[in-house]
Amino acid sequence: MNTAITIPARLASTRFPNKMLAVLPNGVPVIKHVYNRCIETGFDTFVVTPDKEIVDVIGKDNTLLVGEAENGTARCVLATEYINYTNFINVQGDMPDITADIIHSVHDVLQDYKVATAYTTMTDEQRNDPNSVKIVHNNKTAKWFGRGITGYGDHHLGIYGYKGFVLNSYKDLTQYPEEDIEKLEQLRWIQNDIDIGVVKVDFNGIEINTISDLDKWAEMYAQADNLV
């Protein structure tokens, strides 16, 4: 299958500036670690960034230096101006615990949908945390995403699959107020009547959104033997 992984990454993160270059306990920057995980899939993998410092970490052959974009999805749209694939898998650059199995699971679902994503089980603590991203679904398609949802929902993971032609349509879709309120760009697909296929996966890792998340990751894995 003609598929590429695109990893949108930028240094100007509001909650954790320069987190992509933060060094994990294995001595590898966050973005490089995520890239290393992604290439284990066998799919062509590119980091899509507006920052030359990230290019220096990954290397020119595997990065696409693009202009500024409103969000990660829009940054992946810019990538299609440089590379041509049938399918794109968007992996967030702050997911050091992403696995090849998760990526392939999303890729499998993408064969039946224009857009696909993954979720995993959520603890009660996460369900009641207004900062965690929840997904409401019917085991087939996503019905809603929200940070403010509390008490129910599953844990949405920052990985998406897109048919190339649908990804290119993103810039023409209507943006509704809820997307800005929740700060969740994936709502644009749902609110423009595009089904998002879902798949449940095993995920016991940490998505790094804040410095405290980085500390938690370090605490969890500092003694592990399989850091790569």
Side-chain angles (χ1 to χ4, degrees):
M1 185 64 69
N2 189 7
T3 299
I5 296 173
T6 51
I7 309 171
R10 66 189 181 103
L11 296 182
S13 172
T14 303
R15 287 183 289 176
F16 187 177
N18 297 318
K19 71 176 177 179
M20 293 298 165
L21 300 183
V23 178
L24 295 170
N26 57 357
V28 179
V30 170
I31 187 60
K32 178 65 173 177
H33 184 97
V34 174
Y35 173 81
N36 290 344
R37 293 294 192 193
C38 288
I39 61 176
E40 293 174 1
T41 63
F43 293 138
D44 294 344
T45 301
F46 303 91
V47 174
V48 187
T49 182
D51 299 302
K52 291 183 179 179
E53 294 90 337
I54 291 178
V55 176
D56 292 340
V57 169
I58 303 298
K60 292 182 179 180
D61 291 342
N62 302 106
T63 53
L64 300 172
L65 186 63
V66 300
E68 292 295 334
E70 61 176 311
N71 55 45
T73 305
R75 194 162 288 113
C76 290
V77 173
L78 293 177
T80 65
E81 298 177 6
Y82 300 89
I83 53 177
N84 183 24
Y85 289 82
T86 302
N87 300 315
F88 290 86
I89 306 295
N90 172 358
V91 175
Q92 301 303 293
D94 54 12
M95 292 185 66
D97 296 310
I98 191 67
T99 67
D101 286 343
I102 292 174
I103 295 171
H104 280 291
S105 293
V106 172
H107 183 262
D108 289 345
V109 173
L110 185 61
Q111 308 319 303
D112 297 318
Y113 292 92
K114 296 175 182 177
V115 182
T117 194
Y119 69 92
T120 191
T121 55
M122 180 173 266
T123 65
D124 289 340
E125 180 181 359
Q126 289 173 314
R127 281 200 175 108
N128 289 290
D129 181 354
N131 294 310
S132 63
V133 180
K134 295 92 174 173
I135 178 175
V136 179
H137 59 88
N138 63 356
N139 298 319
K140 294 181 181 179
T141 58
K143 299 305 177 184
W144 195 251
F145 301 89
R147 299 181 190 275
I149 298 171
T150 58
Y152 65 97
D154 286 309
H155 180 193
H156 179 239
L157 300 179
I159 176 172
Y160 307 89
Y162 313 111
K163 299 290 189 185
F165 71 92
V166 177
L167 179 59
N168 275 308
S169 74
Y170 185 78
K171 58 184 178 294
D172 299 319
L173 300 179
T174 301
Q175 181 177 355
Y176 291 89
E178 292 79 8
E179 175 184 339
D180 187 55
I181 292 170
E182 293 283 3
K183 304 300 182 186
L184 295 175
E185 65 218 55
Q186 62 268 38
L187 287 175
R188 196 174 306 185
W189 301 112
I190 290 179
Q191 293 187 287
N192 283 271
D193 298 322
I194 297 174
D195 285 340
I196 303 177
V198 300
V199 59
K200 183 177 182 179
V201 297
D202 292 326
F203 180 78
N204 298 312
I206 295 173
E207 294 170 89
I208 298 176
N209 295 307
T210 65
I211 293 177
S212 63
D213 291 334
L214 184 67
D215 293 338
K216 290 176 184 177
W217 199 94
E219 182 179 350
M220 184 179 296
Y221 288 100
Q223 304 302 320
D225 294 328
N226 62 343
L227 289 175
V228 296

